[in-house]
Amino acid sequence: MAPRIVVAGSANMDLVGIAERLPLPGETVLGDDFVMMPGGKGANQAIAAARAGGHAVFLGAIGSDSFGVTLNARLNAAGVDTAHIRTAYGVSGVAVIMVDRAAENSILVAPGANSTFNDLTADEERVIAGGDVLLCQLEIPIETVAAACKAARAGGTRTILNAAPARELPADLLADVDLLVVNEVEARTIAGQSIAGSESPDMAALLALVPRVVLTLGGAGSRYAERDGRDETVPAFPVEATDTTAAGDAFTAALAVAWGEGRDLMEAVRWANAAGAACVRKLGASNALPTRDEIDELYQS
């Protein structure tokens, strides 16, 4: 039976411009192309979890505008359960993304309807308690993330927090997190280090807050550490990158599905690495998220 992955997070319309290089502050750069597609870390991870073989349930808010209609349709088309999605009067969330020819990107997010998802109903708490894994990010109000993690703890549901975008987090929220997924900037922020520094994230400081940490390292793979002393680096799968925009979402969702299936977490991290690598071979966010067959093919290679 497919694991039930409950994703509480954001849904945005992504406006993506592609150019030879990213513009400097105050500079205009002539672009190569432009595409518009559904995204948002929450919606991306819900779609990625469904494509990776999970039964994905999305909790979040969309606007009453045309973007909201498109976002809901894309989630449904991907097989995500949208029965509990909220519609708020006004605009949906929007992300403006610039991508250069080396596949690097810069992203500006206007939360729109996502900012109205600022509490949980009793029904949403029951959905979370009925899941195998709760997956959260930080593009919705932090109070909602904390409430979702608390509902998961009360219901015996394992919790993964993808702490992006980077911000300091309250200790009571982290106390309800079973697995923290962060990149180096996010890890240094939570550990209280300078985000401009070049030193490695303080894993001991992170493990004092949560029992398990996955540190994503881009093209270098990822690192998994536990409080009991386990600390291993998992190499990346070498692929030709086109766009890294949703690679982290593909990774985190695949990790949730694999853990929900009962796999050892080291194997789950390796499989998630394959998902992230499969994602960067395509342009865009939700449309680039890989299927289970695509992940397995790369993983087995």
Side-chain angles (χ1 to χ4, degrees):
M1 182 182 295
R4 188 175 178 86
I5 312 300
V6 181
V7 182
S10 61
N12 298 323
M13 183 59 73
D14 290 347
L15 311 178
V16 185
I18 302 97
E20 180 180 1
R21 61 179 178 83
L22 301 178
L24 299 172
E27 181 187 21
T28 299
V29 172
L30 188 64
D32 298 331
D33 200 1
F34 171 80
V35 291
M36 185 171 69
M37 64 194 75
K41 294 192 72 64
N44 284 347
Q45 291 180 12
I47 292 172
R51 290 184 177 174
H55 176 82
V57 182
F58 181 70
L59 302 180
I62 56 175
S64 57
D65 56 0
S66 60
F67 285 171
V69 174
T70 303
L71 289 167
N72 193 52
R74 174 58 67 91
L75 286 162
N76 276 314
V80 176
D81 182 346
T82 61
H84 305 277
I85 198 167
R86 303 184 189 183
T87 300
Y89 180 78
V91 298
S92 298
V94 173
V96 180
I97 304 171
M98 294 179 290
V99 183
D100 68 17
R101 292 179 186 171
E104 294 298 326
N105 63 69
S106 294
I107 305 174
L108 180 150
V109 177
N114 296 302
S115 63
T116 70
F117 186 37
N118 52 16
D119 59 3
L120 287 179
T121 66
D123 184 54
E124 288 166 338
E125 290 178 346
R126 283 192 292 270
V127 171
I128 291 170
D132 293 300
V133 179
L134 169 71
L135 180 52
C136 293
Q137 321 77 33
L138 300 178
E139 289 183 345
I140 57 175
I142 194 69
E143 297 81 7
T144 309
V145 177
C149 292
K150 189 171 295 294
R153 177 72 73 207
T157 301
R158 287 172 288 183
T159 302
I160 297 177
L161 175 62
N162 178 204
R167 60 178 294 176
E168 295 181 4
L169 296 174
D172 59 343
L173 163 58
L174 291 169
D176 288 325
V177 172
D178 295 306
L179 174 60
L180 181 68
V181 179
V182 283
N183 64 22
E184 291 181 284
V185 171
E186 294 151 4
R188 284 196 289 268
T189 300
I190 295 170
Q193 298 171 271
S194 169
I195 63 172
S198 59
E199 74 275 15
S200 297
D202 187 346
M203 295 296 276
L206 295 175
L207 289 170
L209 298 169
V210 295
R212 305 169 191 84
V213 176
V214 173
L215 180 66
T216 58
L217 302 170
S222 54
R223 178 182 172 188
Y224 174 66
E226 296 178 350
R227 278 183 184 161
D228 67 2
R230 191 178 192 182
D231 190 340
E232 299 182 44
T233 298
V234 183
F237 289 79
V239 295
E240 184 176 346
T242 299
D243 181 7
T244 61
T245 300
D249 296 332
F251 174 94
T252 307
L255 179 64
V257 170
W259 199 22
E261 290 174 343
R263 302 195 204 190
D264 175 80
L265 269 168
M266 279 303 302
E267 180 192 351
V269 171
R270 291 189 183 95
W271 197 67
N273 271 3
C279 181
V280 303
R281 297 183 296 189
K282 300 177 184 178
L283 178 66
S286 59
N287 62 310
L289 298 167
T291 64
R292 189 179 184 91
D293 286 345
E294 290 171 330
I295 299 169
D296 282 339
E297 180 180 3
L298 190 57
Y299 179 74
Q300 292 164 5
S301 70

